[in-house]
Amino acid sequence: MKELICPYSWDCGKIFSPQELSAFDYNFVQSAVEKKMTFMIIHCPNCSREFKFDTVQWKADEFGYSNPNTVVKKNDKTIKQLTAILNKAKIEIPLPYFEYLISDKFEPQISIFPDEENFSLFTLNELCEKTNIDGKSYLTINQLKGFTAPLLEMVDDSSQKNQEIQYKELADCLAIGFENTRILLIDHRDQNSLWIFHPDGGDIERTAVTLESIVNRMDL
């Protein structure tokens, strides 16, 4: 009989002769060959895992074990499902940007400040995913509500008089991207200006980039 190969290639995958099998498995294989069995379960003599074996094709396959290093890709929701999530949360993305998000022209990398790292724009799926902030769950797109809640407890209106966006207003702004801990957001007041929120200090920074320029990719 020919040699066998353990199907668990990620940490075994060794080649061995049928004689290296346990006495029970070896006798089982001999009998299965005579009967031309296409399905049987035997054990690798090296890693001890059981696997499927086809004596006709002389082929081993995994059985009950999977590669722990394999990344399972999440299935994206449909646009209809994502729209339903946004509607339920009473979130309205400016229409031109929504159309940009679902178009083939969407490009996740965006330069906000010259000579600095690019920001990454969230996809529509990512915007509708949940994120945990201070033990509470928020959609990624309205995560600023989670950051502003504790800030509002620590400061009053008078201490924010020099801020161009008050924290109460910031809570209504939509997060659309990030760079490290910095969050790129749409000013809800004009639905076009873009600002940066710094969660580590609570600072809010104006940018020269607009939502319109992202959609049209003008001078970026």
Side-chain angles (χ1 to χ4, degrees):
M1 290 187 286
K2 296 182 294 184
E3 293 179 323
L4 292 79
I5 303 175
C6 174
Y8 305 112
S9 58
W10 63 87
D11 63 357
C12 184
K14 294 182 179 179
I15 299 173
F16 56 90
S17 67
Q19 288 78 8
E20 294 178 69
L21 293 167
S22 67
F24 178 86
D25 282 353
Y26 179 66
N27 292 331
F28 189 13
V29 170
Q30 285 186 309
S31 173
V33 169
E34 294 175 2
K35 298 176 182 178
K36 296 183 179 180
M37 292 175 60
T38 58
F39 179 85
M40 62 184 300
I41 302 296
I42 54 178
H43 301 76
C44 173
N46 298 294
C47 68
S48 301
R49 295 191 187 98
E50 57 186 13
F51 61 87
K52 295 185 294 184
F53 190 65
D54 181 340
T55 63
V56 176
Q57 297 186 40
W58 206 255
K59 181 183 177 183
D61 283 311
E62 300 168 8
F63 182 75
Y65 300 91
S66 57
N67 189 341
N69 301 314
T70 300
V71 177
V72 179
K73 184 179 179 181
K74 294 186 292 184
N75 292 324
D76 288 343
K77 292 182 172 63
T78 64
I79 294 175
K80 184 177 180 180
Q81 290 172 320
L82 296 171
T83 301
I85 291 172
L86 294 171
N87 289 339
K88 184 178 180 180
K90 297 181 180 180
I91 296 172
E92 187 173 345
I93 298 175
L95 184 58
Y97 190 64
F98 180 84
E99 292 177 341
Y100 174 65
L101 283 170
I102 63 176
S103 74
D104 294 334
K105 296 180 180 179
F106 177 72
E107 169 55 52
Q109 294 298 304
I110 185 77
S111 174
I112 301 297
F113 302 113
D115 304 321
E116 289 191 17
E117 292 291 330
N118 284 346
F119 275 67
S120 297
L121 298 175
F122 295 114
T123 65
L124 185 58
N125 266 278
E126 291 170 336
L127 288 171
C128 295
E129 290 178 351
K130 292 184 177 181
T131 185
N132 188 291
I133 301 172
D134 288 339
K136 294 184 179 181
S137 180
Y138 301 88
L139 294 182
T140 295
I141 193 170
N142 70 348
Q143 62 181 289
L144 291 167
K145 291 184 182 297
F147 287 111
T148 54
L151 290 172
L152 288 169
E153 294 178 0
M154 294 186 291
V155 300
D156 53 28
D157 291 342
S158 61
S159 63
Q160 300 178 64
K161 60 183 180 181
N162 294 324
Q163 288 184 193
E164 293 187 78
I165 300 181
Q166 302 287 299
Y167 289 140
K168 287 182 180 178
E169 297 173 320
L170 182 65
D172 294 325
C173 295
L174 304 180
I176 62 168
F178 70 98
E179 189 285 312
N180 201 351
T181 60
R182 298 185 292 177
I183 299 173
L184 181 67
L185 60 100
I186 305 171
D187 189 336
H188 79 97
R189 297 170 299 185
D190 63 13
Q191 300 285 289
N192 190 40
S193 302
L194 298 182
W195 299 69
I196 304 296
F197 174 63
H198 299 258
D200 49 356
D203 296 330
I204 307 166
E205 181 180 7
R206 180 189 288 273
T207 79
V209 181
T210 64
L211 196 65
E212 182 181 6
S213 65
I214 289 182
V215 171
N216 296 321
R217 289 290 164 156
M218 297 177 178
D219 304 319
L220 297 178

